[in-house]
Amino acid sequence: MKKFVYLFNEGNSGMKDLLGGKGANLAEMTKIGLPVPYGFTISTEACNAYYEAEKAISPEVHDQILQALTALEEKTGKRLGDPNNPLLVSVRSGAVFSMPGMMDTILNLGMNDQTVEGMARLTNNPRFAYDSYRRFIQMFADVVLEVDIFFFEQLLEEYREQKGYNSDPELTAEDWQEVIQGYKNIVRKRTKKEFPQDPKEQLFLSINSVFDSWNNQRAIVYRRLHKIPQHLGTAVNIQTMVFGNMGDDSGTGVAFTRNPSTGEPLLYGEYLINAQGEDVVAGIRTPLPIHTLQREMPEIYKQFSETCQRLEHHYLDMQDIEFTVERGKLFILQTRTGKRTAQAAIRIAVDMVEEGLIDKKTAILRIDPDQLNQLLHRRIDDTIERKQLTKGLPASPGAATGQVVFDADEAEALGNEGKKVILVRPETTPDDIHGIVASQGVVTSRGGMTSHAAVVARGMGKPCICGCEEVKIDLNALQFSIGETVINQGDTITIDGSTGEIMYGEIPMVDPQLSDEFQLLLKWADEERKLGVRANADNPIDAQKAFEFGAGGIGLCRTEHMFMDSKRIPIVQRMILAENDAERSEALAQLLPMQQSDFEGIFEAMQGLPVTIRLLDPPLHEFLPNKDELLVEVTKLQITDPTSRQLLEKEKLLKKVRQLEEFNPMLGLRGCRLGIIYPEIYEMQAKAIFFAIAKLDKKGIDVNPEIMIPLVGHVNELKEMRELVINASLQVQEITGINFNYLIGTMIEIPRAALTADEIAKEADFFSFGTNDLTQTTFGFSRDDAEGKFLQTYIEKKVLPDNPFAVLDREGVGKLVETGVNLGRQTKPNLKTGICGEHGGEKQSIKFCYNAGLDYVSCSPYRVPLARLAAAQATILKEQV
Ligand code: ADP
Ligand code: MG
Ligand code: MG
C-alpha cells in the first residue's frame, strides 16, 4: 500500500518533493531534537491524487490520516473532540517551494461548544479559551466556508463600540462568548448551515480546502510569477497547537538568523506578547524587535538564539524561523531558507565563507545574478538636502520615485500605461501582488519588517517602507496626510527603502557603488570564470563605468550614437543631403575630429583593453526629420510663405527623405551595405579611429582596437570593407608615421553569415554575434513590432517559452551561433568570438555562450558584475557535471 501520510519523525529535509518545504523541515527539526509540536504531513502525492479523483480524498488516504491522528493522540495524551482533554491542531499548507502567505492556515481546529469549556477548565483561563474559539470560527469560516471576513470584523467592531472598548484585550470571557454567538449566527446566515461541531468533519473539510487552495487565483499568479510548475501540488501539515495567547508569559514571533536586509550576522526579528500565529505578520499590531525579548524573557531568548545558531549550522544557510512561547516554554514552528535582498545575500555568502561554513564556489552559486540588478541601481543623491515628510521602517532597500496610488488594480492599470507609481496601503495582502509588481515601490502605514508588503517587496527587489504610522490614509478621499500635509492620488513622492524616508516630489539619484563584500565575491568569481565579460559602451562616460565594474574591454561601441548628438546632427544631415562629392567630403571632414575625440575618450578610459568599434549601422533616414511632420511644415509654408527660401530647403529635405524612405528599413540600405554604397562614410570613421590611436600613442597610452563591420551576409562584403579599412590605416600611417596594430572583424547577425562562417572567417580576425539582429532575422520578427503586438500573447499561450530578445533562443538562434563558431574555427582555430547585445547580460544566455565555446560576452555596463558572476556559475556548473 502506498504511503500518503508521514508522522513528523518519519521524514527529513530531503523529502521536500513529497512533504513540501514546511513538512520536510518540521520533520528534520523533529529528527535533530528541537522542540517542535508533534504532528504529521499528508503528502503532495495525496494532493495530486485528490485532483485526479476530481477533488475527493480516497478511502486509502482517509484511513492513513485517521491512523496518523491516533498516533498523534497517543503521543500527546489528548484526543480530538475530547471535552475533558481536547487535542487542538493547526492545518497548514506547505508546497515544495515556499509560497509565503499564498495559502491559508487554520489554527485551533478541534474547538467546539464542548471542547471550549474543557479548554477553559484545563487552562483555568476561560478568556483564552473563548478567544481561541472565536479566532477558529472566523478563520475556518473564511478559509473553508468562504464567508467574507468583513462580517466578523464588522460585528466585533460594533460590539467594541457598544461596550466602549478600544481594543481586543479589553474583552472579557463573557464578551467573547457573546461574540461567538454572533459569529455562529453569521455562519448560519451566510452558509445556511450550523458551524460544524464535529472535529473530524472540521479536519477533513480543512484538508480539502488546503488542497483546493493550491489552485486559488493568488497561488496561481504567484507560481506564474516565480516560474513554479503548476503540477507539483501542496502537502498538508497537521500539527498540535501551542498557544502564544495564554497570557504575558506567552507570545509568538518570527526571526531571521541574520539581517535579511543588510546581511549583518545578528538575530533579526519581531514578536508579540500574548498573541497567536499570524498576528505578527498580519500587521494588526506593530510588533517588538527581537532584542527586547532578551530583556523580557532572558531564558527564552538564550534558548532561542542557540536554536537559531544550531539551525544555521545544520542547514548552512540563513534561516527564517517561526516560534511560539507557551507559558514560558519555547516551540519552533517553522524554519526555511530566508529570503533576502541582494545586498544581504552577498554579505551572508561572503561571511559564511569566512566563517568556514561554506566554500567559495557554493558562495558564488548562492547568488542569483538577476537579484544583483537591485544593487546596480541608482539611489538617492546624499548631497541633496531631503525634505522628509516622514519616516517608516526601512523594509526593502533602494529608492524610487512615482505617483501615489492607493489601489492595486489602479497601480496595475497605470503601470501598464508605462507610468511610475508608488503603491500606498494601510497594509498589503496576497491579493495586492499584481499591484506591487506594477509599482516602483510600496509604502504601508501598518505592519513590521516581516509583514506581507516587506517580504514580497524584498523578494522582488523593490523599495518598501512599512509601519509608517504617521501616514494617515483615507482610501475614500484617495489621499493621505502626514500631520498638516496632504498628499493626493497622483502626486509624486520619492521613497528611500534603505532609510525608510518618504519625500515629496522627485529627488535626483546617483549611481550605485559596489560594497567590499560584493567586490570580494566578484574577485572570487573572476578566479573561477573562463568566459570574458565586456561591456557595450558608446561614449567615454559609459566606458569609464564599464571599466569600474570590471569589464575586460568594450564588446560593442556603436558609432551612430555619436552621430545623434544635437550639435552634430545638422552636420550629419548636410552630409546626407550633399548634392555632390565635394559637399559630402566637407561635411565628413567636419565630423571626423568629433568622432576622433569620442574614440580618444573611450580608448583612454579602457587603458589598453580591447575596444570593438562598429562602423555605422542604421539606415541614413534615421538621421533625418520625420516625413509626416516635414510634410505638414511644407504644406503650411506653401500657404503662408510660398516664395521663402525656407520652403525651398524644406522641400529639398522632404525629397531626400522620400528618396531614402524604405519599405523595410531593417532589411534595407544599412550596415556594410551603406559602407559599400557610400565608402567615404566608413573611410572617415576608420580614419578617425586611427588618428585617435596616433594621438594616444603620443601620450604613451596603449590602445587595442577591433574594427567591426556590421550586417555582413556574404564574404565579399567583408572583403571589400576590409580593404577600405586597411587603406585608411595606410593613409593615416603615411601622415602620422605610426604602424597600427588592430583587428578587423564582423558581426554575425544574418543567418547566411553564420551558415558560411568558414568563408567569412577568411576575411575576419574576430566574430561578434549580434544576437539582437540575429534573433530578428532568424525568426523573421522585427523586434518592435513583435514586442508591441504579439510576443506577449505568444508567451502567454506558451507558443514561445520566453521573449527571445531577452533570453537567447538556444534551439534556433543558438544553433546558428554554434554553427558560426564551429565553422569559423575550422578556418581559423584561434578565431576570437563573442556576443554583444542584451543577451550578453542574461544569466541563461551567458551559460549558453560559455558552453558554446565563445571567448566573451558583452553587455550594458550596469550588468557587467552580474555577467561576471553568471560566467563563474556557468564554469562551476559545467565542472560539476
Ligand atoms: P504561512 O505559510 O502563511 O506562514 P503557517 O502554516 O506557517 O502559514 O502558519 C501561520 C501562522 O500560524 C504562523 O505564525 C505559524 O507559526 C502559526 N502556527 C501554525 N501552526 C501552529 C501551531 N500548531 N501552533 C501555534 N501556532 C501555529
Ligand atoms: Mg509560516
Ligand atoms: Mg545589428
Side-chain angles (χ1 to χ4, degrees):
M1 198 170 79
K2 187 163 178 170
K3 192 168 169 63
F4 285 106
V5 180
Y6 294 77
L7 292 165
F8 282 178
N9 58 338
E10 293 177 323
N12 61 55
S13 61
M15 295 164 70
K16 290 210 167 78
D17 287 350
L18 201 59
L19 304 180
K22 199 179 282 167
N25 284 333
L26 285 167
E28 184 77 16
M29 291 195 292
T30 305
K31 199 177 84 183
I32 64 173
L34 293 180
V36 176
Y38 198 57
F40 58 88
T41 303
I42 306 164
S43 74
T44 53
E45 288 178 351
C47 177
N48 290 331
Y50 172 83
Y51 278 106
E52 268 156 39
E54 279 165 32
K55 297 200 177 192
I57 292 179
S58 70
E60 204 182 347
V61 175
H62 189 92
D63 282 354
Q64 290 188 28
I65 293 172
L66 290 180
Q67 278 168 28
L69 179 63
T70 307
L72 181 57
E73 288 175 334
E74 277 165 18
K75 179 108 177 181
T76 54
K78 299 175 180 180
R79 266 190 29 242
L80 197 68
D82 181 349
N84 296 317
N85 194 12
L87 172 70
L88 300 185
V89 294
S90 63
V91 178
R92 318 173 68 185
S93 62
V96 178
F97 299 100
S98 96
M99 297 168 58
M102 282 297 128
M103 287 183 283
D104 301 303
T105 292
I106 295 162
L107 302 178
N108 308 337
L109 187 138
M111 295 216 93
N112 60 24
D113 295 349
Q114 277 78 48
T115 53
V116 70
E117 304 294 341
M119 285 296 287
R121 272 195 311 277
L122 278 174
T123 57
N124 214 355
N125 189 345
R127 186 190 179 280
F128 153 75
Y130 294 112
D131 178 30
S132 303
Y133 190 21
R134 67 93 194 179
R135 284 172 191 259
F136 172 56
I137 296 174
Q138 175 172 334
M139 222 181 271
F140 190 89
D142 172 33
V143 177
V144 181
L145 306 176
E146 293 178 356
V147 180
D148 200 322
I149 198 158
F150 164 81
F151 298 113
F152 300 93
E153 283 169 354
Q154 189 187 35
L155 183 143
L156 183 56
E157 205 171 304
E158 279 170 12
Y159 188 84
R160 273 196 311 246
E161 233 159 70
Q162 174 203 327
K163 290 273 177 167
Y165 296 142
N166 288 319
S167 67
D168 291 352
E170 293 170 45
L171 273 75
T172 63
E174 289 69 34
D175 290 327
W176 284 129
Q177 273 176 296
E178 272 184 57
V179 171
I180 286 166
Q181 278 316 321
Y183 277 10
K184 287 205 276 193
N185 291 339
I186 292 174
V187 171
R188 188 178 313 114
K189 185 161 168 212
R190 301 281 148 198
T191 69
K192 311 272 178 286
K193 278 188 207 136
E194 291 298 321
F195 185 80
Q197 289 288 319
D198 174 7
K200 286 213 174 100
E201 187 189 346
Q202 295 172 355
L203 182 67
F204 280 98
L205 285 173
S206 307
I207 294 169
N208 278 337
S209 153
V210 174
F211 285 159
D212 290 342
S213 77
W214 172 257
N215 275 338
N216 73 26
Q217 203 48 39
R218 62 193 213 211
I220 292 172
V221 170
Y222 185 91
R223 287 197 293 272
R224 205 182 297 140
L225 205 68
H226 290 82
K227 302 219 158 87
I228 297 173
Q230 303 282 353
H231 67 265
L232 294 175
T234 179
V236 187
N237 302 290
I238 311 295
Q239 186 174 27
T240 313
M241 281 303 301
V242 287
F243 299 96
N245 55 335
M246 286 186 91
D248 287 344
D249 55 355
S250 304
T252 185
V254 191
F256 294 81
T257 53
R258 301 180 190 228
N259 186 316
S261 188
T262 64
E264 223 185 336
L266 286 177
L267 208 55
Y268 178 92
E270 294 164 331
Y271 70 102
L272 281 171
I273 290 292
N274 198 7
Q276 189 175 40
E278 300 241 283
D279 294 353
V280 178
V281 270
I284 296 163
R285 277 154 66 189
T286 300
L288 299 167
I290 194 86
H291 60 86
T292 58
L293 187 66
Q294 189 163 20
R295 215 174 42 229
E296 291 192 8
M297 297 182 177
E299 262 313 301
I300 293 287
Y301 182 82
K302 186 162 164 273
Q303 198 191 340
F304 180 62
S305 52
E306 278 165 13
T307 306
C308 287
Q309 275 277 325
R310 193 154 160 219
L311 281 170
E312 208 181 79
H313 279 75
H314 189 75
Y315 286 97
L316 298 173
D317 204 348
M318 186 264 266
Q319 296 294 298
D320 167 357
I321 301 167
E322 287 173 8
F323 67 98
T324 283
V325 179
E326 178 183 305
R327 291 199 281 200
K329 188 168 168 7
L330 174 71
F331 292 94
I332 306 296
L333 286 164
Q334 187 173 343
T335 191
R336 61 178 173 216
T337 301
K339 293 202 189 303
R340 59 202 83 179
T341 62
Q343 186 191 346
I346 291 168
R347 169 97 193 254
I348 291 169
V350 169
D351 282 355
M352 285 193 163
V353 169
E354 287 173 348
E355 291 163 26
L357 291 175
I358 57 173
D359 63 10
K360 288 180 189 172
K361 288 184 183 171
T362 309
I364 290 168
L365 291 176
R366 270 219 183 138
I367 314 294
D368 179 357
D370 287 346
Q371 225 196 346
L372 297 184
N373 241 338
Q374 49 176 285
L375 289 186
L376 302 167
H377 276 147
R378 297 152 76 77
R379 56 185 172 75
I380 291 177
D381 185 348
D382 290 332
T383 61
I384 306 254
E385 204 183 322
R386 309 180 183 189
K387 222 182 87 207
Q388 181 189 318
L389 287 170
T390 183
K391 203 166 171 175
L393 299 170
S396 179
T401 298
Q403 295 176 19
V404 171
V405 289
F406 294 101
D407 173 81
D409 293 337
E410 179 81 17
E412 188 182 38
L414 289 173
N416 286 344
E417 285 172 24
K419 298 234 168 64
K420 293 195 173 8
V421 299
I422 308 269
L423 182 63
V424 179
R425 302 270 320 153
E427 66 210 10
T428 66
T429 72
D431 295 326
D432 296 320
I433 293 256
H434 60 292
I436 302 177
V437 172
S439 306
Q440 305 299 308
V442 185
V443 175
T444 69
S445 55
R446 283 185 296 213
M449 303 285 281
T450 50
S451 66
H452 177 265
V455 172
V456 171
R458 278 200 295 273
M460 293 181 190
K462 292 184 192 245
C464 175
I465 300 175
C466 287
C468 236
E469 295 187 359
E470 265 192 307
V471 170
K472 302 281 176 256
I473 301 175
D474 184 341
L475 292 176
N476 291 321
L478 292 178
Q479 60 184 38
F480 70 81
S481 58
I482 298 168
E484 302 283 271
T485 317
V486 174
I487 310 283
N488 290 300
Q489 169 146 307
D491 287 357
T492 297
I493 58 168
T494 296
I495 63 172
D496 185 342
S498 317
T499 60
E501 286 168 292
I502 302 180
M503 288 137 294
Y504 191 76
E506 190 178 341
I507 303 195
M509 311 240 177
V510 289
D511 285 346
Q513 228 114 55
L514 305 191
S515 69
D516 292 348
E517 292 89 12
F518 197 177
Q519 307 263 24
L520 188 58
L521 184 84
L522 288 175
K523 197 180 131 241
W524 296 343
D526 290 345
E527 286 161 14
E528 293 295 332
R529 73 181 160 97
K530 302 207 173 71
L531 182 68
V533 175
R534 297 194 190 180
N536 299 347
D538 305 334
N539 54 60
I541 294 171
D542 285 357
Q544 189 64 44
K545 195 88 250 161
F547 189 81
E548 269 168 41
F549 280 159
I554 304 259
L556 177 63
C557 170
R558 284 166 288 216
T559 50
E560 59 269 21
H561 289 183
M562 304 168 175
F563 277 29
M564 296 288 187
D565 182 304
S566 62
K567 283 198 218 82
R568 299 179 190 179
I569 199 92
I571 309 174
V572 175
Q573 289 180 350
R574 236 180 296 140
M575 184 262 293
I576 297 171
L577 298 173
E579 303 264 314
N580 50 51
D581 288 353
E583 262 183 50
R584 173 160 295 132
S585 325
E586 197 195 302
L588 284 167
Q590 272 183 288
L591 284 174
L592 191 144
M594 297 174 176
Q595 285 249 284
Q596 183 186 332
S597 73
D598 292 326
F599 293 141
E600 285 168 20
I602 290 170
F603 288 146
E604 197 162 352
M606 295 315 288
Q607 304 183 24
L609 293 173
V611 175
T612 307
I613 295 171
R614 177 177 73 185
L615 301 187
L616 198 65
D617 183 50
L620 289 180
H621 74 76
E622 281 196 13
F623 303 101
L624 297 179
N626 176 287
K627 190 185 83 178
D628 295 332
E629 283 166 22
L630 207 54
L631 193 59
V632 172
E633 283 177 47
V634 167
T635 316
K636 269 194 198 150
L637 283 172
Q638 279 167 343
I639 298 162
T640 56
D641 205 358
T643 55
S644 67
R645 222 189 109 185
Q646 209 193 354
L647 175 61
L648 267 173
E649 266 169 23
K650 295 259 173 195
E651 278 174 338
K652 192 173 134 196
L653 196 58
L654 181 62
K655 199 172 141 215
K656 194 74 188 176
V657 170
R658 280 188 167 139
Q659 247 174 40
L660 289 174
E661 196 180 14
E662 291 176 308
F663 289 107
N664 192 339
M666 194 190 80
L667 300 175
L669 179 57
R670 53 171 288 219
C672 64
R673 303 159 196 173
L674 208 55
I676 289 170
I677 305 299
Y678 302 107
E680 55 279 24
I681 300 177
Y682 272 22
E683 194 185 309
M684 178 279 286
Q685 292 197 295
K687 283 184 180 165
I689 295 171
F690 292 116
F691 278 120
I693 303 171
K695 181 112 174 250
L696 292 184
D697 188 77
K698 289 214 179 79
K699 286 204 218 164
I701 297 169
D702 194 20
V703 179
N704 193 350
E706 301 177 344
I707 297 170
M708 181 155 78
I709 311 299
L711 221 69
V712 165
H714 194 288
V715 62
N716 289 341
E717 292 173 314
L718 180 58
K719 196 163 174 230
E720 187 154 339
M721 290 302 98
R722 185 181 181 91
E723 276 163 22
L724 179 147
V725 172
I726 293 174
N727 243 324
S729 91
L730 293 175
Q731 286 179 42
V732 180
Q733 187 180 335
E734 197 126 298
I735 300 167
T736 60
I738 291 172
N739 204 348
F740 297 106
N741 250 329
Y742 60 96
L743 301 182
I744 301 176
T746 183
M747 302 270 281
I748 303 285
E749 52 188 338
I750 302 272
R752 194 183 188 286
L755 296 171
T756 59
D758 46 349
E759 286 298 314
I760 291 183
K762 289 181 187 158
E763 301 292 332
D765 305 322
F766 66 87
F767 284 173
S768 175
F769 291 87
T771 47
N772 186 43
D773 269 339
L774 192 57
T775 301
Q776 298 202 79
T777 52
T778 301
F779 274 95
F781 288 170
S782 90
R783 179 171 185 172
D784 291 343
D785 293 324
E787 288 184 338
K789 296 205 170 71
F790 58 81
L791 258 185
Q792 202 47 42
T793 311
Y794 263 46
I795 293 161
E796 271 160 26
K797 293 201 162 172
K798 299 207 165 70
V799 176
L800 290 176
D802 290 293
N803 176 349
F805 295 102
V807 180
L808 189 79
D809 158 50
R810 277 154 285 183
E811 292 83 38
V813 179
K815 200 174 204 169
L816 284 171
V817 173
E818 285 166 339
T819 307
V821 173
N822 294 337
L823 288 180
R825 290 202 175 136
Q826 276 175 25
T827 305
K828 282 191 183 157
N830 294 323
L831 185 78
K832 217 183 206 187
T833 58
I835 81 159
C836 54
E838 265 163 73
H839 297 110
E842 193 278 322
K843 60 181 178 187
Q844 296 175 56
S845 314
I846 292 173
K847 194 168 155 201
F848 168 82
C849 290
Y850 175 64
N851 292 330
L854 296 186
D855 296 308
Y856 68 86
V857 294
S858 187
C859 56
S860 112
Y862 286 95
R863 294 184 84 86
V864 164
L866 177 168
R868 287 162 69 194
L869 185 75
Q873 292 180 343
T875 312
I876 297 170
L877 289 173
K878 198 171 177 187
E879 278 166 9
Q880 285 178 351
V881 288

